[in-house]
Amino acid sequence: MEGMSELQRIRVVIADDQELVRAGFAMVIGSQPDIQVVGQAGDGAQAVSLAESLHPDVVLMDVRMPGMDGLEATSRISALEAAAGDAPRKTRVIILTTFDLDEYVMAAINAGASGFLLKDTEPETLLSSIRTVYQGNAIIAPSATKRLIEKMMEDGYTKHGLTATDGYADGSSTMPGARPVAYTDPELNLLTEREREVLVEIAHGLSNQEIADKLFISPPTAKTHVAHILAKINARDRVQAVVFAYDNGLV
């Protein structure tokens, strides 16, 4: 992306209470011609202030920070974005934490985060995640996706009122260990057999590359399938696709 002007670069704010962590992320991001760090914050309040004044494209947000934590800061930044309406530049948040805990995943999603990654994520994954979120999509660490599904099953999550232990009147179920489905979204019928296979792998937390490897297709083909799936089921991002897959008994 040589020759990319500053206005075209992805503008990032790093929020973490450890200066060395911020410096490390800044070094990784600074090595890229299409991404730049425009601000750094040591706590949530500073992150919100920078988001309001700088309007960055992406905020890398730590969870545990003094004063206002990253989840509250994410919620406030999401509120700012909602108030901005159709503003040309949107600020999206990627939660970065060393704590792969259920409550953080759920809370981050509820706060409006577009991504959830662990701090030991490979630099290449971090950079690709920033680009993915900038394009309007969402990312979530595979381990977090698995835990999200488990959490929904434990809580009996379903928008149709069925739980993981519900069944039909005769006690039968769709498959061993799966949540029986008495209703499915009509969008499910729009998916091809291959797209259903890809959706299941999305729900298992696989990346496009991993889906391609498992289904013996090319990465661009996997990416195309994912885009078609999101469009057909009216999902904003992969997280919503995971919920859709669970809700319709695919996982």
Side-chain angles (χ1 to χ4, degrees):
M1 301 185 183
E2 188 173 353
M4 174 175 283
S5 70
E6 181 173 316
L7 290 177
Q8 292 174 302
R9 299 169 75 184
I10 303 172
R11 304 167 71 252
V12 176
V13 163
I14 303 170
D16 195 292
D17 61 334
Q18 298 184 46
E19 186 173 351
L20 285 177
V21 172
R22 297 199 305 268
F25 286 142
M27 184 177 299
V28 171
I29 294 171
S31 68
Q32 303 300 299
D34 61 324
I35 313 176
Q36 68 174 147
V37 176
V38 296
Q40 298 187 31
D43 57 44
Q46 290 178 10
V48 174
S49 178
L50 288 178
E52 191 169 16
S53 62
L54 299 178
H55 304 290
D57 299 302
V58 177
V59 177
L60 298 181
M61 186 79 74
D62 186 23
V63 172
R64 292 187 175 181
M65 292 185 289
M68 184 188 298
D69 66 21
L71 297 177
E72 175 63 24
T74 298
S75 181
R76 296 197 182 192
I77 291 173
S78 296
L80 290 174
E81 292 304 302
D86 296 327
R89 185 184 292 277
K90 294 288 185 181
T91 298
R92 297 177 172 88
V93 177
I94 297 177
I95 295 291
L96 279 168
T97 179
T98 54
F99 305 98
D100 184 12
L101 300 178
D102 295 333
E103 59 266 31
Y104 288 151
V105 179
M106 300 297 291
I109 293 171
N110 291 333
S114 295
F116 186 97
L117 293 175
L118 300 184
K119 285 185 179 179
D120 60 1
T121 296
E122 294 292 331
E124 294 78 8
T125 301
L126 172 64
L127 294 170
S128 66
S129 297
I130 291 173
R131 296 183 179 103
T132 296
V133 167
Y134 171 71
Q135 293 168 356
N137 299 310
I139 51 91
I140 183 168
S143 61
T145 301
K146 180 176 181 293
R147 295 168 77 89
L148 175 61
I149 294 172
E150 291 172 348
K151 182 69 172 177
M152 289 190 295
M153 293 179 71
E154 289 171 3
D155 293 346
Y157 170 85
T158 170
K159 68 183 180 185
H160 303 305
L162 296 174
T163 70
T165 56
D166 286 330
Y168 297 116
D170 62 359
S172 63
S173 64
T174 53
M175 65 183 69
R179 179 181 69 81
V181 178
Y183 170 89
T184 57
D185 290 284
E187 291 86 356
L188 186 63
N189 295 326
L190 301 177
L191 301 181
T192 66
E193 193 63 36
R194 175 61 90 183
E195 287 169 348
R196 288 193 183 209
E197 291 177 339
V198 172
L199 178 55
V200 168
E201 302 310 331
I202 292 174
H204 288 156
L206 271 61
S207 66
N208 288 350
Q209 181 64 59
E210 290 168 334
I211 292 172
D213 293 341
K214 183 169 183 178
L215 299 181
F216 303 103
I217 57 180
S218 69
T221 299
K223 182 178 180 180
T224 298
H225 282 316
V226 171
H228 288 170
I229 291 167
L230 295 182
K232 288 182 178 181
I233 67 175
N234 298 312
R236 181 189 64 211
D237 50 49
R238 295 172 83 102
V239 175
Q240 288 190 344
V242 170
V243 175
F244 180 93
Y246 173 77
D247 205 41
N248 286 277
L250 297 182
V251 292

